[in-house]
């Protein structure tokens, strides 16, 4: 009885080139394609932020969703530069390539980049090995984010979360209100009708804004493909040094990685579906080295992208709890 | 740094094309609490293979001790994502979920049935084209079924599927289904849905979801998913009149000034002459800028930046349209509102109104009636409580550009925001403007009294109160001012207290000083009226000559002389400031009524008898008589 997306079966007489033109030519017919509507909706949201808040900031996590967000922001304000800074909360445990990619993007697109690391966390040497993923995440991510937002007195923080990622995300508004201690009150969200956003805040309060709320993972990938958006190569399959721990493949990205006795990194053809702190991000075995291959592989996959994120699998409702504590 | 894109491989390009060609249907589930809305959506997600292995595994664990179907899963857990929801077994807020079949993509909003969270159902409905109204076959049509259906009609959701769920619990009984459908159709007839289908379903067991169920052989309609895959709901917004609300002024440097926004409806092309709603000035579209290059035209839904051919004053909130097809531009309209706050809505209270990109202070000026969600009866009311729907008139502090919601949801739907807490209190849909649609002309106007008055939505006048000290002039004037302010008017009182202590501090009470006093007050009143205000002047003004002078100074401004005729004995008995006593004692000289005459007006416009009625009644009478 179950049915769903089947990968397209090639038929003998269809003309690939003709269809291809139809998909990616800019609007020539009157109605927009699905991706074009999503893009327009996100651009409108970004402009609403710029027009309504005094000190907006955009979270830049260097992953694919952030890359899409960056691309959308460049489009939203063109020919002006992005009228707000991009904020990277750096736990110091990111993949090295991510940091290099981040700096290259800032250079190339000329945006204002702010990088923040929790100074106490740094001083105390907080790391995922000794302190566990949840404590590490709390100190180096949640608290660091709060520090950065408070220090910048930002009244709106734009993030790349999508509603299809997780069940509590599916419940969140596009303009999501936070009280003075950055907490989300899921039972008391403002009604959000049409595309009329209530952007009003009282002193100390702030807003989280999610312009790509209505995008699915597939939308993100097809958009990256059609727009030619640059991504870190970590998303593409390549031989990488990994160790396997309780079923998860972890890449040994630098010398800080603690190998267990008898453990040795193996070269494996892997890629990442999501990027974060390398000791906490699971790789998948894959040979998908191009975007089309990634998209096709994703269609056939039977696991969700969050499975690669070790911090989410703790318990049901853990994301909601984190958000109530001020996690993005 | 990133990998080059591979040359599009044939398979994927075709596959993508197929994905892109799929149309999108946005729908919501609604209905009373526990009717099975979340279970149904969970079922749809499951059946369209959207639940991946890792999610399925954790779901099975969680479904322990819950109502489960043959698959061993409580499907509602797939959508009820908040801890509180899972604990209480109810939905609290909307969940947006995405799934697709070979035919279509779907965005579904699963909304709560609980009355307390009706606002979240309205949120879900506001972006949907179709609604699944669920009914528990055991319970039939309930109040909340009706309320949700009424809100659907208010929000303008035109397509409804009546899903009679839990039919398994009624032994798949045809008569039950028929009875519920008949009752619902009778109720929904006046709600004006374009299509209304009914399907007997078991969300838990999967009957009539993907395919026709053997257990309902009597049902000859289409099962749910095939129905959703094929129903035609699209409305082509590009066919409408051009509406371009300016969202953000794009000003990277002195050489570029563009207006960024999303085309709400219609099409705009380079070379088009457009009209600016607020200034009524025309301009020609010179460029349509995007990062992908300039466009020749932009259609409804596209986010672009327009560059015009001349310097015109445009800011966020302005609306561009084609000449002859302009939106209404006014500060008063009739609307239907659904109230979403514990704190009721009262006429006279000031809120912030947001419509598109426009944000203005606004007041509910009149509460016409409330609609009973059960019977659709209209009843008089003095306030609108949580989850109620009412028809009201609203006045905004300055004119805004809008359309009737029925003709354009994006330019006719608004929210009301609390001025102190900033909470969203209600949502409204405009029925019509209350002054005739002003035909926006090309001519730019001079700023004059009329224009200023129009901005305030009133006709300025001077209401001149005359009468003895203690006759009740100030009380009446104060009440009238309150009433006018509540109505959203702009009024101001000039009286001895605020004039004698400042502007006229240098004047005494000799005859000459009194004349000069009145002259100055009359001049100030004139300036204020010229600025568009309703001026209430409350001075004893005992002499016919002075009052004539005041009327002359007012010139062509509407001047109303109100004589508050209260007998001297009454005034003296009241003596609120103890002045009569002091005058009688000789401490105050030239006191009107005691040692200085009061000349009753020979031709007053209105006489109020202060000795016979209370100030409240008199001010009401005056308010009615003045016909604001
Ligand atoms: N037997 C049977 N039970 C069902 C069916 N659909 C739902 N249920 C059960 O009805 C109960 C309520 O289902 P929900 O899906 O949570 O109802 P809901 O309409 O989403 O409720 P709210 O969102 O709180 O208004 C659950 O115990 C379901 O398992 C059905 O078709 N048959
Ligand atoms: Mg529910």
């Amino acid at each position: 009885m179950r049915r769903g997306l089947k990968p397209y079966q090639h038929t003998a007489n269809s003309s690939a080139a003709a269809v291809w033109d139809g998909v990616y030519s800019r609007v020539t017919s009157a109605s927009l394609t699905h991706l074009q509507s999503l893009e327009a909706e996100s651009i409108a949201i970004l402009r609403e932020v710029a027009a309504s808040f005094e000190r907006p900031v955009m979270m830049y996590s260097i992953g694919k969703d952030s890359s899409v967000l960056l691309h959308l922001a460049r489009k939203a304000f063109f020919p002006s530069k992005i009228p707000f800074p991009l904020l990277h909360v750096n736990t110091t445990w990111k993949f090295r390539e991510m940091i290099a990619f981040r700096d290259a993007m800032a250079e190339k697109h000329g945006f204002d980049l702010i990088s923040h690391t929790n100074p106490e966390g740094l001083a105390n040497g907080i790391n995922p090995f000794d302190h566990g993923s949840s404590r590490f995440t709390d100190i180096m991510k949640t608290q660091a984010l709060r520090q950065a937002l408070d220090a910048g007195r930002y009244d709106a923080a734009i993030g790349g979360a999508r509603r299809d990622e997780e069940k509590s995300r599916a419940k969140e508004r596009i303009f999501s209100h936070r009280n003075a201690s950055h907490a989300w009150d899921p039972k008391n969200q403002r009604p959000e009708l049409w595309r009329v956003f209530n952007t009003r805040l009282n002193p100390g309060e702030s807003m989280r804004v999610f312009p790509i709320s209505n995008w699915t993972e597939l939308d993100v990938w097809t958009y990256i493909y059609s727009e030619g958006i640059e991504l870190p190569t970590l998303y593409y399959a390549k031989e990488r040094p990994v160790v396997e721990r309780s079923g998860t493949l972890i890449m040994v990205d630098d010398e800080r990685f603690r190998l267990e006795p008898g453990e040795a990194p193996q070269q494996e053809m892997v890629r990442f579906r999501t990027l974060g702190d390398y000791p906490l991000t699971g790789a998948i075995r894959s040979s998908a080295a191009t975007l089309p291959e990634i998209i096709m592989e994703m269609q056939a996959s039977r696991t969700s992208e969050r499975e690669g994120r070790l911090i989410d699998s703790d318990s049901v409702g853990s994301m909601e709890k984190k958000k109530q504590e001020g996690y993005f | 740094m990133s990998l080059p894109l591979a040359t599009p491989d044939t398979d994927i390009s075709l596959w993508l094309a197929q994905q892109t060609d799929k149309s999108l249907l946005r729908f919501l589930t609604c209905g009373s609490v526990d009717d099975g809305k979340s279970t149904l959506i969970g079922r749809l997600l499951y059946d369209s293979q959207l639940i991946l292995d890792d999610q399925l595994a954790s779901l099975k664990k969680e479904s322990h001790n819950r109502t489960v179907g043959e698959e061993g899963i409580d499907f509602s857990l797939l959508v009820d994502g908040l801890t509180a929801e899972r604990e209480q077994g109810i939905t609290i807020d909307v969940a947006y979920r995405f799934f697709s079949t070979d035919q279509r993509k779907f965005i579904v909003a699963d909304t709560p049935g609980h009355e307390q969270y009706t606002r979240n159902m309205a949120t879900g409905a506001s972006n949907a084209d179709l609604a699944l109204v669920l009914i528990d076959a055991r319970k039939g049509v309930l109040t909340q079924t009706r309320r949700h259906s009424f809100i659907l009609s208010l929000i303008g959701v035109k397509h409804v599927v009546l899903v009679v769920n839990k039919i398994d619990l009624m032994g798949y009984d045809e008569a039950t289904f028929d009875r519920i459908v008949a009752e619902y159709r009778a109720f929904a007839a006046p709600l004006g849905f374009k299509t209304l289908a009914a399907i007997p379903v078991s969300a838990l067991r999967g009957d009539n979801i993907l395919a026709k169920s053997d257990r309902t052989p009597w049902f000859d309609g289409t099962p749910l998913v095939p129905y959703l895959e094929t129903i035609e709901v699209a409305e082509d917004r590009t066919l409408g009149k051009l509406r371009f609300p300016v969202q953000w002024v794009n000003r990277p440097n002195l050489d570029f000034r563009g207006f960024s926004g999303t085309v709400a409806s219609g099409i705009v092309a380079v070379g088009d002459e457009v009209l600016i709603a607020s200034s009524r000035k025309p301009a020609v579209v010179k460029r349509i800028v995007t990062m992908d290059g300039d466009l020749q035209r932009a259609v409804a839904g596209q986010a672009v930046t327009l560059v015009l051919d001349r310097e015109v004053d445009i800011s966020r909130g302005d609306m561009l349209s084609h000449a002859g097809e302009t939106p209404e531009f006014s500060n008063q309209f009739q609307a239907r509102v659904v109230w979403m706050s514990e704190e009721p809505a009262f006429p006279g209270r000031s809120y912030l109104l947001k419509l598109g990109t426009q944000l203005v202070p606004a007041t509910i000026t009149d509460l016409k009636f409330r609609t009973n969600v059960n019977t659709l009866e209209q009843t008089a009311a003095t306030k609108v409580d949580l989850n109620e729907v009412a028809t009201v008139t609203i006045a905004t502090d300055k004119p805004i550009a809008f359309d009737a919601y029925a003709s354009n949801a994006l330019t006719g739907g608004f929210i009301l925001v609390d001025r102190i807490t900033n909470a969203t209190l209600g949502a409204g849909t405009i029925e019509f403007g209350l002054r005739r649609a002003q035909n926006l002309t090309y001519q730019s106007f001079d700023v004059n009294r009329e224009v200023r008055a129009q901005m305030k939505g009133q006709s300025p006048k001077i209401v001149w109160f005359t009468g003895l000290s203690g006759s009740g002039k100030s009380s009446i004037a104060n009440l009238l001012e309150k009433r006018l302010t509540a109505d959203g008017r702009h009024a101001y009182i000039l009286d001895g207290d605020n004039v004698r202590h400042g502007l006229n501090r240098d004047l005494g009470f000799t005859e000459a000083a009194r004349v000069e006093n009145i002259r100055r007050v009359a001049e100030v009143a004139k300036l204020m009226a010229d600025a568009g205000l309703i001026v209430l002047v409350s001075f004893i003004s005992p002499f016919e000559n002075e009052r004539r002078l005041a009327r002359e100074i007012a010139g062509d401004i509407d001047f109303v002389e109100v004589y508050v005729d209260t007998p001297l004995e009454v005034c003296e008995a009241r003596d609120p400031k103890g002045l009569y006593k002091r005058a009688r004692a000789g401490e105050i000289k030239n006191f009107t009524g005691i040692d200085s005459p009061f000349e009753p007006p020979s031709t007053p416009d209105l006489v109020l008898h202060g000795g016979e009625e209370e100030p409240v009644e008199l001010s009401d009478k005056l308010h009615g008589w003045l016909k604001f």
Side-chain angles (χ1 to χ4, degrees), chain A residues 241-254:
Chain A
V242 294
V243 296
E244 186 162 349
R245 285 188 178 171
S246 40
T248 306
L249 293 172
I250 307 286
M251 176 172 160
V252 180
D253 193 50
D254 61 31

Side-chain angles (χ1 to χ4, degrees), chain A residues 12-169:
Chain A
N13 54 4
S14 54
S15 153
V19 182
W20 185 255
D21 282 352
V23 182
Y24 295 112
S25 61
R26 301 303 305 181
V27 185
T28 47
S29 75
S31 65
L32 307 186
T33 66
H34 182 53
L35 274 188
Q36 286 167 337
S37 320
L38 285 175
E39 177 189 78
E41 177 184 88
S42 304
I43 287 176
I45 293 163
L46 287 162
R47 287 172 174 168
E48 196 68 6
V49 175
S52 315
F53 293 91
E54 274 167 33
R55 297 179 64 83
V57 67
M58 189 161 104
M59 307 305 300
Y60 184 55
S61 72
I62 315 163
K64 63 180 193 309
D65 299 307
S66 279
S67 299
V68 166
L69 212 50
L70 170 60
H71 189 73
L72 291 167
R74 288 174 52 226
K75 284 195 168 191
F77 304 108
F78 179 86
S80 292
K81 285 205 178 301
I82 300 174
F84 38 73
L86 272 64
L87 172 64
H88 179 225
V89 174
N90 191 353
T91 59
T92 72
W93 288 90
K94 301 291 167 193
F95 289 93
R96 282 171 302 163
E97 189 200 327
M98 289 171 69
I99 303 301
F101 182 85
R102 177 195 78 182
D103 295 341
M105 286 292 123
E107 169 92 34
K108 179 167 173 183
H109 299 304
F111 56 77
D112 214 355
L113 177 74
I114 299 166
S115 175
H116 176 78
T117 304
N118 182 348
E120 293 100 64
L122 198 61
N124 294 327
I126 301 294
N127 68 72
F129 297 103
D130 297 319
H131 303 94
S133 77
S134 69
R135 224 173 124 218
F136 167 77
T137 304
D138 178 53
I139 295 170
M140 298 308 277
K141 275 190 169 159
T142 310
Q143 288 186 29
L145 174 69
R146 282 211 299 248
Q147 288 169 350
L149 294 180
D150 288 340
R153 287 180 292 110
Y154 299 117
D155 50 2
I158 303 161
R162 306 187 319 269
R163 284 171 171 159
D164 80 330
E165 278 179 75
E166 199 265 345
K167 275 183 278 194
S168 67
R169 293 267 197 220

Side-chain angles (χ1 to χ4, degrees), chain B residues 31-40 67 74 76 80 89-91 110-114 165-169 201-205:
Chain B
S32 199
V33 70
D34 267 358
D35 285 351
K37 297 176 289 297
S38 304
T39 306
L40 180 69
T67 319
D74 175 350
S76 72
D80 287 337
I90 59 162
T91 304
D110 178 43
T111 73
H114 208 289
N165 188 34
K166 307 198 189 180
I167 197 77
D168 54 315
L169 297 178
V201 148
S202 170
L204 197 66
R205 307 185 57 170

Side-chain angles (χ1 to χ4, degrees), chain B residues 125-150:
Chain B
S126 69
N127 289 312
D129 302 313
L130 177 144
L132 304 185
V133 175
L134 268 84
I135 291 193
D136 184 332
R138 297 170 303 175
K139 298 185 187 153
V141 180
L142 302 174
T143 305
Q144 195 63 352
T145 323
R146 298 194 187 95
R147 184 192 308 275
H148 278 185
S149 302
F150 184 50

